[in-house]
Amino acid sequence: MKINSKDVLLVIDVQNDFCPAGALAVGDGDAVIEPIRRAAQCFQHIILTQDWHTPDHNSFASAHPGKKPFEQIKLSYGRQTLWPDHCVQGTHGADFHPELQLTRAELILRKGFRCEIDSYSAFFENDRTTPTGLSGYLRERGLACVFLAGLAYDYCVGYSALDARRLGLPAVILRDACRAIDLNGSVAAIEQEFAASGVELMNSGDLSD
């Protein structure tokens, strides 16, 4: 697939805490770096997202006495999976993986910094209505098609792709440049949503500039 000047590569949360030895490590998470860097060579426009949680974030199991990571609770905006403390603002775990090195990125979008609400998608908080501002940025820059890669496939990458479609943007996930958590069948569930919403899947090797 030939990439043009209206396409953007959206690299989701390739941070130390989601890579091996991190607080919320995704299996084989650092294996996304090579295909992402290869894909990036085809794009004029690159955006990075960065999970950026407060130390007392409401999505952390530690914020709810008696609860353990990966349990679910009900919050004002719906069901919330509780996570180990991760990607806390200003910590090593929140830093981008040192091998990512996408210095051409035009924007770093931080998300999840509101302590009362989690944020999987690069476009909306988990209440599905509070915007991050990314859609306005893309619109003003004239960027019309979103290619996604990073961590994790079945959470932040997937939610971002679905929201891109909800906003009327074509969304293509580079499958070999993602890794999944697959918590309680989350991969199969989100892939059903991809099929229903028109999210496309391809590999980084299918791209050309």
Side-chain angles (χ1 to χ4, degrees):
M1 182 179 214
K2 189 170 179 61
I3 300 303
N4 64 49
S5 61
K6 292 190 175 182
D7 296 331
V8 60
L9 178 62
L10 183 58
V11 179
I12 304 290
D13 300 355
V14 183
Q15 296 167 257
N16 289 323
D17 268 347
F18 295 128
C19 291
L24 185 51
V26 179
D28 206 23
D30 56 352
V32 305
I33 294 171
E34 182 180 345
I36 287 174
R37 293 185 63 178
R38 184 169 59 245
Q41 297 174 22
C42 298
F43 288 85
Q44 295 181 35
H45 307 290
I46 301 170
I47 293 172
L48 309 179
T49 72
Q50 190 175 22
D51 239 12
W52 200 246
H53 294 309
T54 58
D56 58 346
H57 201 274
N58 212 23
S59 69
F60 293 167
S62 62
H64 304 274
K67 296 295 183 181
K68 296 179 181 178
F70 310 111
E71 291 184 18
Q72 286 199 338
I73 62 171
K74 185 75 179 293
L75 295 177
S76 61
Y77 52 87
R79 303 294 297 177
Q80 171 67 52
T81 298
L82 296 177
W83 305 106
D85 293 18
H86 66 281
C87 296
V88 173
Q89 297 169 3
T91 65
H92 171 76
D95 290 342
F96 293 118
H97 191 287
E99 294 179 14
L100 187 62
Q101 293 294 314
L102 292 181
T103 54
R104 289 193 300 109
E106 298 167 343
L107 176 70
I108 296 173
L109 179 81
R110 287 175 168 169
K111 60 188 181 65
F113 53 79
R114 295 178 174 90
C115 67
E116 71 279 3
I117 186 168
D118 209 0
S119 184
Y120 297 158
S121 170
F123 290 94
F124 293 97
E125 307 283 8
N126 279 11
D127 61 3
R128 320 303 299 137
T129 57
T130 303
T132 65
L134 180 58
S135 62
Y137 177 88
L138 296 180
R139 185 171 58 250
E140 291 196 3
R141 293 289 312 280
L143 302 175
C145 182
V146 179
F147 290 75
L148 302 100
L151 302 168
Y153 171 70
D154 44 341
Y155 281 90
C156 295
V157 174
Y159 277 69
S160 298
L162 291 169
D163 277 344
R165 294 297 301 129
R166 186 156 68 100
L167 292 164
L169 296 167
V172 181
I173 294 177
L174 303 178
R175 186 64 184 92
D176 65 321
C178 302
R179 291 296 184 274
I181 296 175
D182 203 12
L183 182 64
N184 300 321
S186 52
V187 168
I190 205 160
E191 287 184 339
Q192 287 186 336
E193 294 190 64
F194 293 163
S197 301
V199 173
E200 296 182 55
L201 300 177
M202 67 173 55
N203 287 326
S204 60
D206 299 325
L207 303 177
S208 62
D209 54 10

